[in-house]
Amino acid sequence: MATVFPSDDPKFAGQPFSLQEYYASCYKNGSLTLLFLPISRQNQNILHSPTHAASISITADVPSANRPRVSLLGSVTVFNDGYSIPNVDFIRRCYVAKHPDAEWWLPDDEGSAHIAYWARFDPHSVYFVGGFGGIHYIGDIPLPMYREAYRNDSDSRIFVNQHNP
Ligand SMILES: *[C@@H]1O[C@H](CO)[C@@H](O)[C@H](O)[C@H]1NC(C)=O
Ligand SMILES: *[C@@H]1O[C@H](CO)[C@@H](O)[C@H](O)[C@H]1NC(C)=O
């Protein structure tokens, strides 16, 4: 995930910042589920951004110049302080299935060391690098095509249909 430090940050104003983050693909339209810990630098940047902006990049299992990767630009909706995320039971199951170790810092866990909220990342732009230009497609992916793609992905289709009919 990449975010930008706010313009009044004492040390890193306006600088980009990126770090690995967990996400889970729990929606049929390609929006992503995040566990939002307000304490993290990344999430502080998101909260200070007027549009809660972030970018998430996803690569092939083994990243390499000739393998596909994608950059999603979008915004984060945080479900905090009384606003609960719709279908919370499904979201929890889906997220923990992808990240079993996150069981220890889930929202609503009284014994957890940190405050955590569910959050949803909604992409507004999708930039795809298929590999090498000339051989592979490099460029924007229309949002409707991105949102529809789960239908043709047997893994996500089986999972989403089993858990969220
Ligand atoms: C994707 O679906 C979820 C759940 O229905 C919805 O809340 C979210 O706004 C959708 N994302 C976009 C980008 O429309
Ligand atoms: C999904 O598969 C159908 C049938 O094979 C095809 O017509 C359609 O273009 C595919 N959609 C995407 C987004 O790949």
Side-chain angles (χ1 to χ4, degrees):
M1 174 184 278
T3 56
V4 177
F5 280 96
S7 55
D8 60 354
D9 187 88
K11 269 168 85 182
F12 301 120
Q15 305 235 21
F17 177 76
S18 76
L19 202 61
Q20 279 70 23
E21 289 284 333
Y22 281 177
Y23 69 88
S25 187
C26 302
Y27 294 98
K28 296 181 175 184
N29 58 8
S31 287
L32 303 176
T33 297
L34 306 173
L35 250 188
F36 192 94
L37 279 64
I39 198 170
S40 87
R41 231 168 212 223
Q42 202 75 276
N43 292 335
Q44 284 297 318
N45 286 350
I46 289 171
L47 291 175
H48 283 98
S49 150
T51 56
H52 286 189
S55 173
I56 295 181
S57 113
I58 296 166
T59 68
D61 285 346
V62 183
S64 124
N66 67 352
R67 303 291 298 278
R69 59 268 191 193
V70 69
S71 180
L72 308 173
L73 285 74
S75 61
V76 177
T77 300
V78 185
F79 296 90
N80 58 352
D81 296 336
Y83 293 95
S84 63
I85 192 165
N87 299 322
V88 64
D89 293 336
F90 166 73
I91 293 292
R92 188 185 302 111
R93 266 201 317 278
C94 170
Y95 193 89
V96 172
K98 178 89 188 286
H99 301 295
D101 57 329
E103 188 123 51
W104 303 104
W105 57 91
L106 294 180
D108 307 323
D109 178 354
E110 313 238 312
S112 172
H114 295 293
I115 294 175
Y117 303 110
W118 293 113
R120 192 187 67 235
F121 173 82
D122 295 320
H124 59 65
S125 306
V126 179
Y127 186 76
F128 181 78
V129 178
F132 293 122
I135 309 174
H136 304 110
Y137 176 73
I138 295 179
D140 295 318
I141 303 270
L143 208 49
M145 186 184 273
Y146 171 81
R147 287 189 183 145
E148 295 262 303
Y150 90 96
R151 292 178 212 280
N152 289 7
D153 172 6
S154 54
D155 286 350
S156 60
R157 193 171 54 225
I158 289 165
F159 185 84
V160 171
N161 287 347
Q162 269 177 1
H163 292 78
N164 195 17

